[in-house]
Amino acid sequence: MTSTDINHDAIIIGGGFYGAAIAIYLAKQRGFKRVVLIEREAGLLRRASYNNQARVHNGYHYPRSFTTAYRSRVNLPKFVRDWPAAVTQDFTKLYAIARRNSKVTAKQFVRFCKEIGAKIEPVEPALRALFEPRLIEDVFLVEEYAFDSKKLASWAVKELQDCGVQIRLQTRVTAISSGPNQILQVALKPEGGSEELLTSRYVFNCTYSGLNQFKGDFAGTQTGLKQEITEMALMQLPPALQDLGLTVMDGPFFSMMPFQARGLHTLSHVRYTPHMHWKDEQGIDPYQKLNQYDRATRVDRMVRDVGRYLPAVLDAKYVDSLFEIKTVLVKNEGDDGRPILFEKHTELPGCYSVLGGKIDNIYDVLEKLDGESFVLVETTV
Ligand SMILES: Cc1cc2nc3c(=O)[nH]c(=O)nc-3n(C[C@H](O)[C@H](O)[C@H](O)COP(=O)(O)OP(=O)(O)OC[C@H]3O[C@@H](n4cnc5c(N)ncnc54)[C@H](O)[C@@H]3O)c2cc1C
């Protein structure tokens, strides 16, 4: 093979939920044949697609971003339809509104839920009694689900195999460059191996936190990104809280969700979950930064604060923590919105960068891809 031959119809960089779903889409819906998926970890869906709060959003979380709330409402039923085995619905989901420091009042929250058409009901007294009334204005029963990231990973492995997508694990893409005749050249480095070059007309950069860490002709994303080292505590909850998911809105509060993949609950806190953050730039490898971070847990501070609002949490048992890089768009810092990033690189025609922001946004990405026309050419090996 020479670097002027095309040896793949598409090269997907990043074996998280997005890379896997896009590879499957190209193979199944768009007739791509030789598709390769390259992942630096030893398995698929091991990074953000595993280390997250597993919430299938239904809009409630986004009173400051109507578009994100609305898109969540549109996407949730599709997600439940397409991944029924990975979605858990059998828990009671509560949203509570804090009396102080909240960016939303109970009345405003109810109005917002009605505007986006999301179900919201008064909660029964026994559940309301879990919360400290001096700090919590109101509590509502809502409809929100959780996904099991292990099941999503099993789905990805099976579907990719069925579609004939080649998977290269423990392999890191280091550079993307443009070659002659609109061919893109992708340099990769398998762990313990020597550098290789793959070629294709199409490259999909689905690396989430790693989106800007390529050399070659890759100029980076136009959209500014913020990187955060985050901690979510994994808790064994006392019986009173075990069948619940709950979120206190909207400010420096907290959230607890079932984490099916470990049979535990995640506890996140707006003040303590983000440990540090920086503006993303080429050359500051977020994965390396996390590896070098000391990961001292802040669970004590989380539990102490949450215990003021929800005393039963003081009986929870801490198991361990999920540390991960969270990558968000700088422009959404104020409104907490989670739109997708979908960029076509003018310096590298045929190269796309994609960031989903949350799991159900996959439909927004696939909609964008539906609008793209792809030219498939004969590949050589
Ligand atoms: C703390 C936290 C809480 C969250 N909570 C929720 C939630 O409750 N609900 C929700 O819907 N979403 C949530 N999210 C967001 C959600 O996790 C992401 O939107 C989603 O997982 C992104 O999927 P992805 O495939 O783009 O990223 P990833 O799963 O991170 O996949 C990217 C992959 O690319 C690989 N990679 C990176 N660089 C390279 C390279 N150079 N070469 C080869 N491979 C590379 C990585 O190893 C990784 O596997 C949360 C995220 C975090 C961090």
Side-chain angles (χ1 to χ4, degrees), residues 113-344:
C113 290
K114 295 216 161 116
E115 266 165 25
I116 60 166
K119 187 174 157 185
I120 180 158
E121 288 175 0
V123 77
E124 62 184 80
L127 290 174
R128 178 185 289 268
L130 289 169
F131 294 86
E132 168 54 61
R134 280 173 303 148
L135 296 181
I136 292 292
E137 182 192 351
D138 213 341
V139 185
F140 301 101
L141 183 67
V142 304
E143 209 166 55
E144 197 180 60
Y145 307 139
F147 60 85
D148 181 334
S149 35
K150 257 193 177 159
K151 289 192 177 152
L152 287 182
S154 308
W155 162 83
V157 171
K158 185 175 178 312
E159 281 288 311
L160 289 164
Q161 273 165 359
D162 289 354
C163 298
V165 172
Q166 187 194 357
I167 303 173
R168 302 273 312 257
L169 297 175
Q170 291 178 291
T171 301
R172 191 163 64 87
V173 170
T174 54
I176 311 171
S177 304
S178 65
N181 308 322
Q182 287 200 316
I183 299 176
L184 294 169
Q185 300 171 342
V186 171
L188 33 128
K189 176 92 178 53
E191 222 174 88
S194 42
E195 193 157 274
E196 294 172 40
L197 205 61
L198 300 185
T199 51
S200 179
R201 289 281 291 272
Y202 301 108
V203 171
F204 295 86
N205 171 18
C206 310
T207 56
Y208 192 65
S209 309
L211 228 47
N212 283 318
Q213 304 308 319
F214 300 105
K215 297 204 166 93
D217 300 321
F218 186 81
T221 56
Q222 300 274 308
T223 314
L225 300 179
K226 178 182 160 191
Q227 307 283 16
E228 273 179 6
I229 290 185
T230 55
E231 177 190 9
M232 284 182 307
L234 284 171
M235 311 294 290
Q236 177 83 60
L237 294 185
L241 301 176
Q242 243 163 38
D243 298 326
L244 300 179
L246 49 91
T247 301
V248 178
M249 296 290 281
D250 172 12
F253 308 117
F254 61 91
S255 194
M256 272 180 345
M257 284 289 290
F259 191 75
Q260 300 292 322
R262 295 274 303 271
L264 296 165
H265 277 69
T266 48
L267 170 60
S268 71
H269 193 296
V270 170
R271 211 177 281 136
Y272 304 116
T273 286
H275 278 230
M276 63 182 284
H277 64 87
W278 65 96
K279 192 172 161 294
D280 188 44
E281 47 184 278
Q282 201 173 43
I284 305 181
D285 181 344
Y287 297 106
Q288 211 175 9
K289 209 155 163 145
L290 178 58
N291 281 346
Q292 289 162 354
Y293 187 65
D294 71 358
R295 301 185 187 214
T297 181
R298 294 177 174 174
V299 67
D300 288 352
R301 278 179 272 176
M302 289 192 203
V303 170
R304 201 178 311 134
D305 189 57
V306 175
R308 299 192 302 124
Y309 298 86
L310 186 75
V313 85
L314 300 171
D315 296 326
K317 186 172 162 274
Y318 170 63
V319 179
D320 68 64
S321 288
L322 299 174
F323 279 91
E324 188 51 280
I325 308 282
K326 187 170 197 171
T327 307
V328 295
L329 312 193
V330 171
K331 66 178 180 201
N332 295 115
E333 266 181 312
D335 67 5
D336 231 13
R338 290 284 178 271
I340 60 166
L341 176 157
F342 184 90
E343 285 191 16
K344 301 205 259 186

Side-chain angles (χ1 to χ4, degrees), residues 14 16-18 39-40 48-49 52-55 173 208 357-359:
F17 180 70
Y18 276 83
E39 167 56 47
R40 58 188 276 168
S49 297
N52 62 63
Q53 199 151 33
R55 184 195 310 267
V173 170
Y208 192 65
K358 54 190 178 63
I359 288 283

